[in-house]
């Protein structure tokens, strides 16, 4: 039976019962949940905003700060003391952050992994080489030990876990040593850093420089556990299969592109190459690059009034004026006069002839008596509006603030109103029979490199189709969908008005957050607006505060941009791969991507076979990134996003994987690049200088190297579509008689999920799944204490089933795998 289609269910893995004991990781946590703030100061204008380096104690503080409306998303990284990153803030907000417990760092005060040997925890050399207990008894396990080189420097990255890691008093320490090649002794002791997230112990880890590649490492716990492991290579140094062709064409993008340029080029590609390209228009128009016109009269005190037009600014709102008029007579009532687009509020007077109208009264009059010109009028933020309104010096013009062009923005007026997003579809056979790949760029407006990276990949496909054999294979064996900018409204706002804009431009804010000084904080984070593991269901990382950088929207799929993605994958069910391209963290993510903070309960982890396929694909993709200028995305930044960084509730990856079975990646392009001149890792930015330093921070270099990675993802999808080979698997050790209890495990010939039984029944898709020992670790080890028969089958990522076994129906062949572990009786 070939290619069984599997949809990922939101179910816990079945527990193994009977005589087989499964080693598990530590349990228990002491999490603290996020708190939300309802009101805080916002950037008053773009000139006052700056980036500062900050350090937070952990994911719980990150949630609190994001819920309070601070813009901290992306560029974040885990360090042993918490989380570091950049905040987009004003000077006033720096004070607010400090009051919340956030440490504001000097520019050169960021964390760096120690690469110096030290005395560690004083492990006796003889004791460190003692015989280890069997796997099910081990208190220390090595999850991974990876070697890589970049710019001539070698690095070793180690993750290890202790079953006593949750212990906090005293905190369990771990030390790593390495040899200097085959047959050499262990040495160079280093203390590893303990990683705790949302109160839950994750693992210990370290990244440090080495000049010689080790073959083995040794990890020792302060509680006495010791284990050794083999060092593996992280990423290949092979030449790229595509760009190695001397006639291969690349480097098509000459600078950053705003949405109009991206969409225009997509349509032109479809016109130029009709045999392999077309445009698919998404059905839900965006809410538009448009704003209501506003004015704030009377400062910020109790007498202040915020006025918003009923019409969009470009449709007449910008023509409205409001004037507060003083009258000399006593005891006059409040009145409103409207002449064309001019609104005059005739202020009430008291017995002495002085103005007597409060801000609340004036706001009520504007809403009800302005002949429909004013849509919203209210006191400033959370004020009660009890102050007496003063007359204005004359008419005050309302504006949507979109006519002020940011310095350095490209030429040309931005189209107002809703936008229809075109999807560039490339493939020789666009009939739904080839595996589809969705590339979605620029969910977040300020991330300019993902758009140029995606456009560069599209250009390479059409320009090399007829001249390059590998490109021809991609185009003829895949069906590729490019959304070059999924957030055109926000992207235009980033280009023309406020460079740090993250969200779309939809204003869901109530009156308390709707004054024009907060306009740069309005919008919905499109990558928090989906249905699986969402903030609406209690998962961490999405905010209910409308001015937060991670505002999740009023409900799931509230935004047309997110609705469009669901429409696309449902209409084109052949889409089996997806990459949501972001910047600038230098990470490659998949599931699980979100967790409930109380207990750190993640969305279900992918089956071990899917997890292995993700890792295999990541190694291929990132090796091609490295091929351009030796940029390495380190293994600590690869894996389930909630495991290596933080929880991001309601992200698109979770919805597409769990709902539709799509292999969905999240990619943070850019990030840190090793600088051999200083010996440090240099970080990037959302909009690095296009030319920049070609060896370090450069928008052009990032575009080229990450386009390499996207092209390799297309090859992964093409290989997946052509895969008709059954996987094979075995139980190690297999059939046989053993004098006492024995540890056994499964092994597969390729990434594959194993379903097994030990109770004599035939294995089906409802049987227990072979799982990892712990997340980011290999498969579990079974400690067999009495005679047991294993029956099992394996399914690879493409749906091929071992030995052509059909688990959905019974037949006489029963051609599943079987092995009996016979334990001799004493």
């Amino acid at each position: 039976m070939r290619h069984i289609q599997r949809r990922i269910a939101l179910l816990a893995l079945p527990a193994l019962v009977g005589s087989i004991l499964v080693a598990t990781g530590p349990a228990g946590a002491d999490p603290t949940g996020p708190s939300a703030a309802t009101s805080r100061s916002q950037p008053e204008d773009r000139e006052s905003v700056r980036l500062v380096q900050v350090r937070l104690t952990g994911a719980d503080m990150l949630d609190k700060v994001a819920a309070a409306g601070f813009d901290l998303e992306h560029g974040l990284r885990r360090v042993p003391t918490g989380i570091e990153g950049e905040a987009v803030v004003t000077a006033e907000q720096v004070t607010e952050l400090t009051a919340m417990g956030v440490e504001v760092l000097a520019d050169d005060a960021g964390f760096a992994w120690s690469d110096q040997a030290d005395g560690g925890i004083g492990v006796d050399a003889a004791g460190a080489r003692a015989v280890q207990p069997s796997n099910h008894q081990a208190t220390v396990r090595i999850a991974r030990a990876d070697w890589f080189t970049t710019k001539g420097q070698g690095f070793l990255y180690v993750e290890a876990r202790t079953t006593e890691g949750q212990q906090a008093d005293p905190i369990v320490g771990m030390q790593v040593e390495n040899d200097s090649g085959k047959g050499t002794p262990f040495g160079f002791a280093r203390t590893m850093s303990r990683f705790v997230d949302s109160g839950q112990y994750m693992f210990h880890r370290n990244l440090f420089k080495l000049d010689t590649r080790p073959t083995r490492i040794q990890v020792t716990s302060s509680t006495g556990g010791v284990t050794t492991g083999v060092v593996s290579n992280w990423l290949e140094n092979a030449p790229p299969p595509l760009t190695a062709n001397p006639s291969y064409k690349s480097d098509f993008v000459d600078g950053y592109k705003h949405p109009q340029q991206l969409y225009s080029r997509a349509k032109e590609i479809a016109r130029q190459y009709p045999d392999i390209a077309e445009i698919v228009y998404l059905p839900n128009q965006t809410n538009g690059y448009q704003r209501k016109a506003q004015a704030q009269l009377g400062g910020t005190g109790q007498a202040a009034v915020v006025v918003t037009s009923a019409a969009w600014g470009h449709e007449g709102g910008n023509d409205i004026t409001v004037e507060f008029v003083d009258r000399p007579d006593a005891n006059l009532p409040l009145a409103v006069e409207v002449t064309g687009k001019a609104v005059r509020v005739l202020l009430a007077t008291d017995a002495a002839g002085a103005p007597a109208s409060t801000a609340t009264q004036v706001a009520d009059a504007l809403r009800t008596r302005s002949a429909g010109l004013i849509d919203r009028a209210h006191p400033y933020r959370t004020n009660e509006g009890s102050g007496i309104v003063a007359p204005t010096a004359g008419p005050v013009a309302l504006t949507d603030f979109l006519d002020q062009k940011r310095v350095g923005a490209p030429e040309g007026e931005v189209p107002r109103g809703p936008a229809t997003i075109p999807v560039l579809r490339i493939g020789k056979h666009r009939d739904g029979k080839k595996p589809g790949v969705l590339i979605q760029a620029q969910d977040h407006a300020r991330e300019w490199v993902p758009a140029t990276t995606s456009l560069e990949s599209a250009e390479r496909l059409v320009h090399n189709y007829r001249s390059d054999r590998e490109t021809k294979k991609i185009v003829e064996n895949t069906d590729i969908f490019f959304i070059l900018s999924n957030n055109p409204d926000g992207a235009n706002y980033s280009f023309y008005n406020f460079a740090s804009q993250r969200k779309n431009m939809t204003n869901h804010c109530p009156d308390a957050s709707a004054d024009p000084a907060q306009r740069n904080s309005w919008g919905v984070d499109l990558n928090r607006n989906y249905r699986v593991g969402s903030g609406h269901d209690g998962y961490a990382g999405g905010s209910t505060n409308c001015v937060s950088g991670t505002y999740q929207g009023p409900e799931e799929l509230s935004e047309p941009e997110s609705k469009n993605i669901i429409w696309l994958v449902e209409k084109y069910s052949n889409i089996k791969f997806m990459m949501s391209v972001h910047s600038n963290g230098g990470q490659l993510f998949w599931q699980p991507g979100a967790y409930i903070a109380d207990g750190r309960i993640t969305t279900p982890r992918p089956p071990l076979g899917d997890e292995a396929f993700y890792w295999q694909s990541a190694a291929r993709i990132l090796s091609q990134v490295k091929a351009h200028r030796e940029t390495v995305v380190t293994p600590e930044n690869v894996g389930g996003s909630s495991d290596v960084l933080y929880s991001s509730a309601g992200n698109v990856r979770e919805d597409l994987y769990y709902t539709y079975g799509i292999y969905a990646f999240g990619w943070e392009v850019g990030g840190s690049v090793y600088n051999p001149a200083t010996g440090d890792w240099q970080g990037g930015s959302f909009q690095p200088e296009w030319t920049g330093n070609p060896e370090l921070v450069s928008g052009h270099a990032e575009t080229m190297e990450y386009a390499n990675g996207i092209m390799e993802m297309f090859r992964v999808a093409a290989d997946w579509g052509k895969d008709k080979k059954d996987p094979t698997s075995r139980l190690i050790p297999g059939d046989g008689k053993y004098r006492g209890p024995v540890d056994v495990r499964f092994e597969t010939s390729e990434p594959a999920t194993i379903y097994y039984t030990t109770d004599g029944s035939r294995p089906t898709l409802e049987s227990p799944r072979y799982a990892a020992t712990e997340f980011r670790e290999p498969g579990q080890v079974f400690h067999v204490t009495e005679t047991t028969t294993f029956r099992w089958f394996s399914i690879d990522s493409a749906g091929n089933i071992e030995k052509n076994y059909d688990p959905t129906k019974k037949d006489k062949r029963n051609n599943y795998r079987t092995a009996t572990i016979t334990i001799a009786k004493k």
Side-chain angles (χ1 to χ4, degrees):
M1 182 177 181
R2 299 286 185 184
H3 294 282
I4 282 190
Q5 298 299 314
R6 293 169 295 136
R7 184 165 292 191
I8 307 302
L10 295 177
L11 300 174
L13 295 181
L16 182 64
V17 297
S19 61
I20 302 177
L21 305 179
V22 182
T24 59
D30 183 22
T32 56
S35 64
T38 57
S39 178
R40 48 169 299 277
S41 66
Q42 294 297 317
E44 295 301 316
D45 55 60
R46 62 180 178 270
E47 287 77 11
S48 67
V49 174
R50 64 190 178 100
L51 291 175
V52 296
Q53 296 290 322
V54 296
R55 180 181 296 153
L56 305 96
T57 56
D60 53 348
M61 180 178 284
L62 175 63
D63 283 343
K64 293 176 183 178
V65 171
F70 287 95
D71 188 354
L72 291 176
E73 185 75 0
H74 291 317
L76 300 175
R77 61 173 178 165
R78 281 283 182 182
V79 299
T81 53
I83 298 174
E84 287 186 0
E86 292 180 333
V88 183
V89 292
T90 64
E92 180 183 355
Q93 290 165 359
V94 170
T95 302
E96 293 182 45
L97 283 172
T98 303
M100 296 178 70
V102 176
E103 182 181 359
V104 179
L105 306 173
D107 290 341
D108 59 351
F111 172 80
W113 289 104
S114 172
D115 58 7
Q116 301 298 316
D118 59 38
I121 51 181
V123 179
D124 178 74
R129 289 159 178 76
V131 175
Q132 293 302 296
S134 60
N135 286 345
H136 70 283
Q137 295 174 325
T139 60
V140 177
R141 298 190 304 272
I142 296 172
R144 60 187 312 116
D146 293 308
W147 167 261
F148 65 87
T149 60
T150 177
K151 310 293 178 67
Q153 178 63 56
F155 287 87
L156 176 65
Y157 175 70
V158 179
E159 284 177 13
R161 188 175 276 111
T162 169
T163 56
E164 299 176 351
Q166 192 70 22
Q167 178 179 321
D169 187 19
I171 293 176
V172 175
M174 294 181 73
Q175 185 184 73
V176 61
E177 298 176 89
N178 58 271
D179 65 16
S180 299
K182 188 174 182 180
T184 60
F186 290 117
F188 315 103
R190 290 167 169 83
T191 299
M192 299 182 70
S193 299
R194 183 170 174 260
F195 177 15
V196 176
D197 185 39
S198 196
Q200 180 69 43
Y201 169 71
M202 305 288 282
F203 40 75
H204 284 71
R205 63 182 178 181
N206 222 48
L207 173 71
F208 50 88
K209 299 176 188 176
L210 286 177
D211 293 329
T212 302
R213 186 195 188 285
T215 60
R216 296 180 65 80
I217 63 166
Q218 178 174 265
V219 176
T220 308
S221 168
S222 60
T223 58
V226 184
T227 192
T228 61
V230 177
V231 176
S232 302
N233 288 328
W234 173 243
L235 308 186
E236 300 176 1
N237 292 314
L242 291 167
T243 57
N245 180 350
S247 64
Y248 187 81
K249 303 178 185 68
S250 62
D251 205 352
F252 295 98
V253 182
D254 58 3
Y256 293 122
K257 307 295 181 185
H258 57 65
Q260 293 72 246
Q261 293 170 315
L262 295 168
Y263 296 167
S264 175
R265 181 55 191 152
K267 295 171 187 177
E268 181 63 14
I269 287 174
R271 187 194 67 79
Q272 288 179 300
Y273 305 93
D275 58 327
I276 59 171
E278 64 178 306
I279 294 294
V280 175
Y281 289 99
L282 296 177
N284 300 291
Q285 286 192 313
T286 69
N287 293 321
Y289 176 76
Q290 56 189 6
R291 285 269 168 85
K292 300 295 182 71
Q294 291 187 302
Q296 185 172 315
L297 298 88
T300 61
Q302 289 291 340
V305 179
V306 178
V307 181
T308 304
S309 65
W312 297 108
H314 66 285
E315 293 179 343
N318 290 335
D319 301 326
I320 298 171
T321 62
V322 173
E323 182 179 7
F324 297 163
V325 180
D326 185 15
R327 293 181 288 174
D329 297 331
N331 298 318
L332 293 176
L334 178 65
V336 178
E337 292 180 350
V338 179
T339 305
K341 295 294 182 68
V343 180
R344 300 177 78 237
V345 179
L346 308 180
L347 299 174
T349 59
D350 60 16
S357 299
T358 66
T360 296
Q361 292 168 339
V362 169
D364 290 342
L366 281 167
R367 283 198 307 273
T368 58
R369 300 186 234 171
S370 63
L373 294 178
I374 302 303
D375 182 41
R376 298 170 73 172
H378 51 85
Y380 177 76
R381 300 198 182 177
T382 57
N383 288 352
E384 295 178 356
S386 57
I388 301 300
V389 172
T392 59
V396 176
L398 275 62
T399 176
D400 62 7
F401 296 95
L402 298 181
D403 56 349
Q404 299 173 0
K405 300 296 186 291
R406 186 171 58 81
V407 175
E411 296 291 333
E413 185 72 14
V414 182
R416 300 292 200 268
T420 298
I421 299 177
V423 181
L424 175 59
R425 186 182 187 186
I426 297 177
K428 182 63 177 177
H429 308 288
R430 303 184 301 279
D431 54 5
K433 296 180 180 179
K434 300 296 182 181
V437 184
L438 171 59
I439 303 297
Q440 176 209 48
Q442 209 170 39
D443 250 359
H444 294 147
R446 64 192 176 200
E447 299 168 9
W448 294 0
V449 175
T452 55
T453 298
S454 301
L455 178 58
E456 171 70 19
S457 303
E459 298 280 11
R460 291 185 187 185
L461 288 175
V462 297
H463 283 91
N464 291 293
Y465 170 61
R466 300 192 185 282
S467 59
D468 179 74
R469 183 176 61 180
E470 290 297 323
T471 304
K472 189 178 184 70
K473 288 180 182 178
I474 291 172
V475 175
E476 294 192 345
N477 291 287
T478 60
D479 189 2
I480 300 168
F481 299 80
F482 287 98
I483 301 178
L484 299 176
S485 176
N486 194 47
N487 184 4
D489 303 341
N492 277 317
Y493 197 73
S494 176
F495 269 96
Y496 288 94
N497 303 100
F498 178 63
S500 295
Q501 177 74 8
R502 169 181 165 83
K503 302 177 286 182
N504 69 6
M505 287 181 64
T506 307
N507 181 10
H508 291 291
C509 284
D511 292 348
S513 300
D515 56 271
Q518 306 213 61
R519 65 189 181 277
N520 293 335
S521 298
W522 295 333
V524 174
D525 182 345
L526 299 178
N527 203 34
R528 299 295 184 275
N529 193 231
Y530 290 85
R531 303 166 297 182
V532 176
S534 80
H536 299 280
D537 295 327
Y539 285 80
S543 176
T544 58
N545 185 353
C546 68
V547 293
S548 167
T550 56
Y551 176 52
Q552 62 198 14
E555 59 187 19
E556 296 167 351
L557 297 183
S558 63
E559 304 308 293
E561 297 91 342
S562 52
K563 287 186 177 78
N564 280 334
I565 300 301
I566 301 304
W567 176 88
L568 190 68
V569 299
E570 289 186 348
K571 180 176 178 62
Y572 300 99
S573 58
N574 63 316
I575 295 176
K576 301 300 179 186
F577 292 83
M578 183 266 191
M579 183 172 285
S580 181
V581 191
H582 293 261
S583 68
N584 64 325
Q587 292 120 1
L588 186 56
F589 289 153
W590 50 83
Q591 302 75 42
Y595 57 70
I596 297 171
D598 187 2
R600 202 182 182 281
I601 303 169
T602 69
T603 51
R605 296 189 177 277
L608 188 59
D610 280 5
E611 180 81 4
F613 181 70
Y614 271 125
W615 278 105
Q616 182 187 77
S617 302
R620 289 180 58 175
I621 291 167
L622 297 176
S623 291
Q624 294 310 308
V625 172
K626 182 181 179 183
H628 181 73
R629 56 168 186 163
E630 292 195 79
T631 295
V632 172
V633 176
T634 60
E636 68 184 291
N637 287 318
V638 180
S641 62
S642 65
D643 297 336
V644 300
L645 197 54
Y646 51 77
S647 175
S648 52
N651 68 74
V652 65
R653 305 183 311 274
E654 307 285 274
D655 207 327
L656 268 55
Y657 177 75
Y658 294 117
T659 308
Y660 304 101
I662 295 171
Y663 288 105
F665 294 83
W667 204 357
E668 292 272 349
V669 306
S672 298
V673 179
Y674 182 69
N675 184 351
T678 63
D680 298 322
W681 293 81
Q682 180 172 332
S685 65
F686 295 117
Q687 300 142 18
E689 185 180 348
W690 180 255
T691 52
N693 183 333
E695 292 302 314
L696 295 173
V697 179
S698 162
H700 174 260
E702 289 180 6
T703 295
M704 296 304 116
E705 65 190 353
Y706 285 99
N708 278 6
I710 289 179
M711 297 298 291
E712 185 63 20
M713 183 175 179
F714 298 152
R715 297 180 75 239
V716 168
D719 291 344
W720 181 90
K722 293 184 293 183
D723 182 6
K724 302 296 186 292
K725 184 179 180 181
D726 293 348
T728 61
S729 61
R730 58 177 180 157
L731 193 69
I732 301 175
D735 272 313
K737 294 183 179 180
Y738 301 89
R739 295 182 178 179
V742 61
D743 291 344
V744 301
R745 60 184 174 84
F746 286 111
E747 184 179 88
T748 59
S749 59
E750 59 176 296
T753 297
I754 290 175
Y755 294 83
Y756 68 92
T757 65
T758 58
D759 61 2
S761 62
R762 64 188 299 274
T764 70
L765 293 171
E766 304 302 320
S767 299
R769 268 197 317 243
Y770 184 52
T773 302
E774 185 58 272
F775 64 93
R776 296 174 69 83
E777 289 192 33
Q780 63 199 106
V781 175
F782 303 132
H783 185 58
V784 182
T785 59
E786 60 184 55
T787 298
T788 303
T789 297
F790 287 81
R791 293 180 170 89
W792 77 93
F793 65 93
S794 61
I795 307 178
D796 67 15
S797 60
N800 299 309
I801 301 183
E802 187 171 10
K803 297 180 68 175
N804 209 32
Y805 172 62
D806 188 346
T808 65
K809 57 185 179 182
K810 294 182 179 181
D811 60 36
K812 294 181 179 180
R813 294 181 301 167
N814 283 332
N815 55 334
Y816 46 75
R817 300 296 310 280
T818 183
T820 299
I821 306 296
T822 302
I823 306 299
K825 295 183 179 180
K826 294 182 180 179

